[in-house]
Amino acid sequence: MAPAAGPTLFGVNVIAVATLLAAVATFAVLIALYAATTVRDPMAKRVKALNERREQLKAGIVASTSKRRRTISNKNEMADKVRGFLGSLKMLQDEQVQKAQQKLMQAGVRSKDLAFVVIFARLVLPIVFGVIVIVGVYALDWFPTWGAFKRYGLVAGTLLLAYKAPDIWLKNKITKRTNAIRKGLPDALDLLVICAEAGLTVDAAFNRVARELGKAYPELGDEFALTSIELGFLTDRRSAFENLATRINLDAVRGVVTTMVQTEKYGTPLASALRVLAAEFRNERMMRAEEKAARLPAIMTVPLILFILPVLFIVILGPASCSISDNLINK
């Protein structure tokens, strides 16, 4: 006799589906264990970048400007080749390069030479993907049932997406980094207030806050540590604060920088001004949390309908449906 088939629900073998779901869950658990056991220290790479920035500032004080630029330019041969290629095509504009460098700094990328790589990617990616899609659609006839309008739309969409891909990647990294910095800014300001009231100088206070917040908020600790280094090496302290506002695309940081510059210029009390800013930022963070909580019921409606209710119906009605189906089949 043939082995009895397992229970079915709407013609689907329940045991096979359960086995598949158990395999997927096991695979997800293995991935989670691997991710948890292979966590790397995020500060090692950041400390290396800060040390490189310190060496660059030392070179700017000791060596001449031309020698410093020549030393920095010799670090990345690929960027030099890309720069020469773009220069031969007359595609390099100072404003475009500065804008790309600023976006890279806001994304946490310290190397300014990668700006030429981003500009080069905007040029190459549309050509590569455009040629592939054009050959596939019109020469190899990938979609024979599509009309001329759909084919043109696919080619145009591919070209546009390939051109915008570097900007989308940069914007995504900037958004994630800005959100992480925004979360830790009120705590950083509270620590700055404590350091200022304890009698520490501004650069020592930034260094102390960077060490204390390095584990909880590595992005903010990285920026504060770099600001502390620049305050110690740059001749104009205002430029160090302005560099901080340039590297972080956040209005709150610009307000902190303005306060620090005014404090340096007019000698106003730093602790009281930072205390007011910290209170404002905490209120803003609380308001954003309340706004997200208010949107949660509307956001959870779709997952509730699509995922939770069907599973609930299967758990409640599944055994009864299997029993009824087996009884009807046996009769």
Side-chain angles (χ1 to χ4, degrees), residues 17-67:
V17 174
T19 304
L20 180 61
L21 293 178
V24 173
T26 304
F27 182 70
V29 170
L30 291 177
I31 293 178
L33 291 176
Y34 175 77
T37 54
T38 58
V39 176
R40 297 180 180 179
D41 187 5
M43 292 302 296
K45 186 177 180 181
R46 301 178 187 278
V47 169
K48 182 180 178 181
L50 291 175
N51 291 331
E52 292 179 355
R53 177 58 177 168
R54 183 185 287 111
E55 295 299 327
Q56 291 178 5
L57 291 173
K58 288 181 180 178
I61 295 174
V62 178
S64 61
T65 305
S66 60
K67 183 178 180 180

Side-chain angles (χ1 to χ4, degrees), residues 12 43 57 63 143 164 179 197 209 291 293 330:
V12 179
M43 292 302 296
L57 291 173
F143 306 101
K164 290 292 185 180
N179 292 333
E197 292 178 346
V209 173
E291 182 181 356
N330 293 331

Side-chain angles (χ1 to χ4, degrees), residues 179-195:
N179 292 333
I181 291 174
R182 183 187 289 113
K183 290 179 181 178
L185 189 58
D187 298 334
L189 291 182
D190 287 339
L191 289 178
L192 279 178
V193 170
I194 295 173
C195 293

Side-chain angles (χ1 to χ4, degrees), residues 95-212:
E95 182 180 357
Q96 185 181 13
V97 174
Q98 291 177 0
K99 189 175 181 180
Q101 290 176 349
Q102 183 178 358
K103 287 185 177 181
L104 286 172
M105 287 190 297
Q106 292 175 356
V109 181
R110 301 301 180 197
S111 178
K112 294 183 178 181
D113 292 334
L114 291 180
F116 302 101
V117 179
V118 173
I119 298 173
F120 181 73
R122 293 174 185 169
L123 172 65
V124 173
L125 290 181
I127 296 176
V128 173
F129 287 100
V131 169
I132 293 174
V133 173
I134 289 173
V135 171
V137 171
Y138 292 103
L140 301 179
D141 199 13
W142 284 352
F143 306 101
T145 59
W146 282 20
F149 182 76
K150 287 185 177 181
R151 295 185 177 186
Y152 173 77
L154 177 61
V155 173
T158 302
L159 292 174
L160 182 61
L161 183 61
Y163 178 76
K164 290 292 185 180
D167 294 333
I168 294 174
W169 175 74
L170 275 177
K171 185 177 180 181
N172 187 28
K173 288 185 68 64
I174 291 172
T175 302
K176 290 182 179 179
R177 183 178 175 83
T178 302
N179 292 333
I181 291 174
R182 183 187 289 113
K183 290 179 181 178
L185 189 58
D187 298 334
L189 291 182
D190 287 339
L191 289 178
L192 279 178
V193 170
I194 295 173
C195 293
E197 292 178 346
L200 293 179
T201 60
V202 177
D203 49 349
F206 271 90
N207 189 21
R208 182 68 179 180
V209 173
R211 282 188 294 162
E212 294 294 334

Side-chain angles (χ1 to χ4, degrees), residues 50 185 188-189 191-196 200-214 220-232 237 240-242 244-245 247-248 253 256-261 263-264 270 274:
L50 291 175
L185 189 58
L189 291 182
L191 289 178
L192 279 178
V193 170
I194 295 173
C195 293
L200 293 179
T201 60
V202 177
D203 49 349
F206 271 90
N207 189 21
R208 182 68 179 180
V209 173
R211 282 188 294 162
E212 294 294 334
L213 294 181
L220 186 58
D222 183 16
E223 295 296 339
F224 273 35
L226 183 56
T227 303
S228 175
I229 293 172
E230 291 182 346
L231 285 172
R237 297 171 64 87
F241 295 123
E242 292 177 351
L244 176 62
R247 292 193 304 267
I248 302 177
V253 174
V256 174
V257 168
T258 302
T259 302
M260 301 298 292
V261 171
T263 302
E264 290 283 337
L270 178 61
L274 291 179

